[in-house]
Coordinates of all heavy atoms in Angstrom, one line a residue:
M13 N 52.0 -28.3 8.6 CA 52.4 -29.4 7.8 C 51.6 -29.6 6.6 O 50.4 -29.5 6.6 CB 52.5 -30.7 8.6 CG 53.1 -31.8 7.9 SD 53.1 -33.2 9.0 CE 51.5 -33.7 9.2
D14 N 52.3 -29.7 5.4 CA 51.5 -30.0 4.1 C 51.1 -31.4 4.0 O 51.9 -32.3 3.9 CB 52.4 -29.5 3.0 CG 51.7 -29.6 1.7 OD1 50.5 -29.8 1.7 OD2 52.4 -29.5 0.7
T15 N 49.7 -31.6 4.1 CA 49.2 -32.9 4.0 C 48.3 -33.1 2.8 O 47.3 -33.7 2.8 CB 48.4 -33.3 5.2 OG1 47.4 -32.4 5.5 CG2 49.3 -33.5 6.4
D16 N 48.5 -32.2 1.8 CA 47.8 -32.3 0.6 C 48.1 -33.6 -0.3 O 49.1 -33.6 -0.9 CB 48.0 -31.0 -0.3 CG 47.2 -30.9 -1.5 OD1 46.1 -31.4 -1.4 OD2 47.6 -30.3 -2.5
L17 N 47.2 -34.5 -0.2 CA 47.5 -35.7 -0.9 C 46.7 -35.8 -2.2 O 45.5 -35.4 -2.3 CB 46.9 -36.9 0.1 CG 47.7 -37.1 1.3 CD1 46.9 -38.1 2.3 CD2 49.1 -37.6 1.0
K18 N 47.4 -36.3 -3.2 CA 46.6 -36.5 -4.5 C 45.8 -37.8 -4.4 O 46.1 -38.7 -3.6 CB 47.7 -36.6 -5.6 CG 48.5 -35.3 -5.7 CD 49.4 -35.2 -6.9 CE 50.0 -34.0 -6.8 NZ 50.5 -33.5 -8.2
P19 N 44.9 -37.9 -5.3 CA 44.1 -39.1 -5.3 C 45.0 -40.4 -5.7 O 46.0 -40.3 -6.4 CB 43.0 -38.9 -6.4 CG 43.0 -37.4 -6.5 CD 44.4 -36.9 -6.3
C20 N 44.5 -41.6 -5.4 CA 45.1 -42.8 -5.7 C 45.3 -42.9 -7.1 O 44.5 -42.7 -7.9 CB 44.3 -43.9 -5.2 SG 45.0 -45.6 -5.6
P21 N 46.7 -43.2 -7.6 CA 46.9 -43.4 -9.1 C 46.3 -44.6 -9.6 O 46.3 -44.7 -10.8 CB 48.4 -43.4 -9.1 CG 48.9 -43.9 -7.7 CD 47.8 -43.3 -6.8
C22 N 46.0 -45.5 -8.8 CA 45.4 -46.8 -9.2 C 43.9 -46.8 -9.5 O 43.4 -47.2 -10.4 CB 45.8 -47.8 -8.2 SG 45.4 -49.6 -8.7
C23 N 43.2 -46.2 -8.5 CA 41.7 -46.2 -8.6 C 41.1 -44.9 -8.5 O 39.8 -44.7 -8.6 CB 41.1 -47.2 -7.4 SG 41.3 -46.5 -5.9
G24 N 41.8 -43.8 -8.1 CA 41.3 -42.5 -8.1 C 40.7 -42.1 -6.8 O 40.0 -40.9 -6.7
A25 N 40.6 -43.0 -5.7 CA 39.9 -42.8 -4.5 C 40.8 -41.8 -3.7 O 42.0 -41.8 -3.9 CB 39.8 -44.0 -3.7
P26 N 40.2 -41.0 -2.7 CA 40.9 -40.2 -1.9 C 42.0 -40.9 -1.0 O 41.6 -42.0 -0.4 CB 39.9 -39.4 -1.1 CG 38.7 -39.6 -1.8 CD 38.8 -40.9 -2.6
A27 N 43.2 -40.5 -1.0 CA 44.2 -41.2 -0.1 C 44.1 -40.8 1.3 O 43.6 -39.7 1.5 CB 45.6 -41.0 -0.7
E28 N 44.6 -41.6 2.2 CA 44.6 -41.2 3.6 C 46.0 -41.4 4.1 O 46.7 -42.3 3.7 CB 43.6 -42.1 4.3 CG 42.2 -41.9 3.9 CD 41.3 -42.8 4.7 OE1 41.8 -43.6 5.5 OE2 40.0 -42.7 4.5
L29 N 46.3 -40.6 5.1 CA 47.5 -40.6 5.9 C 47.2 -41.6 7.0 O 46.3 -41.2 7.9 CB 48.1 -39.4 6.3 CG 49.5 -39.3 6.9 CD1 50.5 -39.7 5.9 CD2 49.7 -37.9 7.4
N30 N 47.9 -42.7 7.2 CA 47.5 -43.6 8.3 C 48.3 -43.3 9.6 O 49.2 -42.4 9.7 CB 47.6 -45.1 8.0 CG 49.0 -45.5 7.8 OD1 50.0 -44.9 8.1 ND2 49.1 -46.8 7.4
E31 N 48.0 -44.0 10.6 CA 48.6 -43.7 11.9 C 50.1 -44.1 12.0 O 50.8 -43.6 12.9 CB 47.9 -44.5 13.0 CG 48.0 -45.9 12.8 CD 47.1 -46.8 13.8 OE1 47.5 -46.7 15.1 OE2 46.0 -47.3 13.5
W32 N 50.6 -44.8 11.0 CA 52.1 -45.1 11.0 C 52.8 -44.2 10.2 O 54.1 -44.3 10.0 CB 52.3 -46.5 10.5 CG 51.7 -47.5 11.4 CD1 52.2 -47.9 12.7 CD2 50.5 -48.3 11.2 NE1 51.4 -48.8 13.2 CE2 50.3 -49.0 12.3 CE3 49.6 -48.4 10.2 CZ2 49.2 -49.9 12.4 CZ3 48.6 -49.1 10.3 CH2 48.3 -49.9 11.4
G33 N 52.1 -43.1 9.7 CA 52.8 -42.1 9.0 C 53.1 -42.3 7.5 O 54.0 -41.7 7.0
Y34 N 52.4 -43.2 6.9 CA 52.5 -43.4 5.4 C 51.1 -43.3 4.8 O 50.1 -43.4 5.5 CB 53.3 -44.6 4.9 CG 52.8 -45.9 5.3 CD1 52.0 -46.5 4.4 CD2 52.9 -46.5 6.5 CE1 51.4 -48.0 4.6 CE2 52.5 -47.7 6.9 CZ 51.7 -48.5 5.9 OH 51.2 -49.7 6.2
V35 N 51.1 -43.1 3.5 CA 49.8 -42.9 2.8 C 49.3 -44.2 2.2 O 50.1 -45.0 1.7 CB 50.1 -41.8 1.6 CG1 48.8 -41.6 0.9 CG2 50.7 -40.6 2.1
I36 N 48.1 -44.4 2.3 CA 47.4 -45.6 1.8 C 46.1 -45.3 1.2 O 45.4 -44.4 1.7 CB 47.3 -46.6 3.0 CG1 46.8 -48.0 2.4 CG2 46.3 -46.1 4.1 CD1 47.1 -49.1 3.4
C37 N 45.7 -46.0 0.2 CA 44.4 -45.9 -0.4 C 43.5 -46.9 0.3 O 43.7 -48.1 0.3 CB 44.5 -46.3 -1.9 SG 42.9 -46.3 -2.6
P38 N 42.4 -46.4 0.9 CA 41.4 -47.2 1.5 C 40.6 -48.1 0.5 O 40.0 -49.1 1.0 CB 40.6 -46.2 2.3 CG 40.6 -45.0 1.5 CD 42.0 -45.0 1.0
E39 N 40.6 -47.8 -0.6 CA 39.8 -48.6 -1.7 C 40.6 -49.8 -2.1 O 40.1 -50.9 -2.0 CB 39.4 -47.6 -2.8 CG 38.5 -46.6 -2.4 CD 37.1 -47.2 -2.1 OE1 36.7 -48.3 -2.6 OE2 36.5 -46.7 -1.0
C40 N 41.8 -49.6 -2.6 CA 42.5 -50.7 -3.2 C 43.8 -51.1 -2.5 O 44.4 -52.1 -2.7 CB 42.9 -50.3 -4.7 SG 44.2 -49.1 -4.7
G41 N 44.1 -50.3 -1.4 CA 45.2 -50.9 -0.5 C 46.6 -50.3 -1.0 O 47.6 -50.7 -0.4
L42 N 46.7 -49.6 -2.2 CA 47.9 -49.1 -2.5 C 48.5 -48.2 -1.5 O 47.8 -47.5 -0.9 CB 47.7 -48.3 -3.8 CG 49.0 -47.7 -4.5 CD1 49.8 -48.9 -5.1 CD2 48.7 -46.7 -5.6
S43 N 49.8 -48.4 -1.2 CA 50.4 -47.5 -0.1 C 51.7 -46.9 -0.7 O 52.3 -47.4 -1.6 CB 50.6 -48.3 1.1 OG 51.5 -49.4 0.9
S44 N 52.2 -45.9 -0.1 CA 53.4 -45.3 -0.3 C 54.5 -46.1 0.3 O 54.2 -46.9 1.2 CB 53.4 -43.8 0.2 OG 53.5 -43.8 1.6
A45 N 55.7 -45.9 0.0 CA 56.8 -46.4 0.7 C 56.8 -45.8 2.1 O 56.5 -44.6 2.2 CB 58.2 -46.2 -0.1
I46 N 57.4 -46.5 3.0 CA 57.5 -46.0 4.3 C 58.8 -45.1 4.4 O 59.9 -45.7 4.1 CB 57.5 -47.0 5.4 CG1 56.2 -47.8 5.3 CG2 57.7 -46.5 6.8 CD1 56.2 -49.0 6.3
K47 N 58.5 -43.9 4.6 CA 59.8 -43.0 4.7 C 60.0 -42.5 6.1 O 59.4 -42.9 6.9 CB 59.5 -41.7 3.8 CG 59.2 -42.0 2.3 CD 60.4 -42.4 1.6 CE 60.1 -42.7 0.2 NZ 61.3 -43.0 -0.6
E48 N 61.2 -41.9 6.2 CA 61.7 -41.5 7.5 C 60.6 -40.4 8.2 O 60.5 -40.4 9.4 CB 63.0 -41.0 7.6 CG 64.0 -42.0 7.4 CD 65.5 -41.6 7.6 OE1 65.6 -40.4 8.0 OE2 66.4 -42.3 7.2
T49 N 60.1 -39.6 7.2 CA 59.2 -38.6 7.8 C 57.9 -38.6 7.1 O 57.8 -39.2 6.0 CB 59.8 -37.2 7.6 OG1 59.9 -36.9 6.3 CG2 61.2 -37.1 8.3
V50 N 56.8 -38.0 7.7 CA 55.4 -38.0 7.0 C 55.6 -37.2 5.8 O 55.1 -37.6 4.7 CB 54.4 -37.3 8.0 CG1 53.2 -37.1 7.3 CG2 54.4 -38.3 9.2
E51 N 56.4 -36.1 5.8 CA 56.4 -35.3 4.6 C 57.0 -36.0 3.4 O 56.7 -35.8 2.3 CB 57.4 -34.0 4.9 CG 56.7 -33.0 6.0 CD 56.9 -33.4 7.4 OE1 57.4 -34.4 7.7 OE2 56.5 -32.5 8.2
E52 N 58.1 -36.9 3.8 CA 58.6 -37.7 2.7 C 57.7 -38.7 2.1 O 57.6 -38.9 0.9 CB 59.9 -38.4 3.2 CG 61.1 -37.4 3.4 CD 62.3 -38.1 3.8 OE1 62.5 -39.3 3.5 OE2 63.1 -37.4 4.4
S53 N 56.8 -39.2 3.0 CA 55.8 -40.2 2.6 C 54.8 -39.5 1.6 O 54.4 -40.2 0.6 CB 55.1 -40.9 3.9 OG 56.0 -41.5 4.6
I54 N 54.5 -38.4 2.0 CA 53.4 -37.7 1.2 C 54.0 -37.3 -0.1 O 53.5 -37.5 -1.2 CB 53.0 -36.4 2.0 CG1 52.2 -36.8 3.3 CG2 52.2 -35.5 1.1 CD1 51.9 -35.6 4.1
A55 N 55.3 -36.8 -0.1 CA 56.0 -36.4 -1.3 C 56.1 -37.5 -2.2 O 55.9 -37.5 -3.5 CB 57.3 -35.9 -1.0
A56 N 56.4 -38.8 -1.7 CA 56.5 -39.9 -2.4 C 55.3 -40.4 -3.1 O 55.2 -40.8 -4.2 CB 57.1 -41.2 -1.6
W57 N 54.2 -40.3 -2.3 CA 52.9 -40.6 -2.9 C 52.5 -39.7 -4.0 O 52.0 -40.1 -5.1 CB 51.8 -40.6 -1.7 CG 50.5 -40.7 -2.2 CD1 49.5 -39.8 -2.5 CD2 49.6 -41.9 -2.3 NE1 48.4 -40.3 -3.0 CE2 48.5 -41.6 -2.8 CE3 50.0 -43.3 -2.0 CZ2 47.5 -42.7 -3.2 CZ3 49.1 -44.3 -2.3 CH2 47.9 -43.9 -2.8
N58 N 52.6 -38.4 -3.7 CA 52.3 -37.5 -4.8 C 53.2 -37.6 -6.1 O 52.6 -37.4 -7.0 CB 52.5 -36.0 -4.2 CG 51.2 -35.7 -3.2 OD1 50.3 -36.4 -3.2 ND2 51.5 -34.6 -2.3
R59 N 54.3 -37.9 -6.0 CA 55.1 -38.2 -7.1 C 54.5 -39.3 -7.9 O 54.5 -39.4 -9.1 CB 56.6 -38.5 -6.8 CG 57.4 -37.3 -6.5 CD 58.8 -37.5 -6.6 NE 59.3 -38.5 -5.6 CZ 59.7 -38.1 -4.3 NH1 59.7 -36.9 -4.0 NH2 60.0 -39.0 -3.5
R60 N 54.1 -40.4 -7.2 CA 53.6 -41.6 -7.8 C 52.3 -41.3 -8.4 O 51.9 -41.9 -9.4 CB 53.4 -42.7 -6.8 CG 53.1 -44.1 -7.3 CD 53.3 -45.0 -6.2 NE 53.0 -46.4 -6.7 CZ 53.1 -47.5 -5.9 NH1 53.4 -47.4 -4.6 NH2 52.8 -48.7 -6.3
A61 N 51.5 -40.4 -7.8 CA 50.2 -40.0 -8.4 C 50.1 -39.2 -9.7 O 49.1 -39.0 -10.3 CB 49.3 -39.3 -7.3
E62 N 51.4 -38.6 -9.9 CA 51.4 -37.7 -11.0 C 51.6 -38.4 -12.3 O 52.0 -39.6 -12.4 CB 52.6 -36.7 -10.9 CG 52.2 -35.6 -9.9 CD 53.5 -34.8 -9.7 OE1 54.5 -35.1 -10.0 OE2 53.2 -33.7 -8.9
Ligands
LIG11 ZN1 43.4 -47.0 -4.8

């Protein structure tokens, strides 16, 4: 599974995949939308980070 996460677009901190399957920034609390799959959550986060 591709879990290559881009840094937070808000503060630049490394993002984390949490236990509910979405991406969140531990520094500022920014999170991805909750998607049906982990892959979609990661893709959504990475799009936002670009
Ligand atoms: Zn952040």
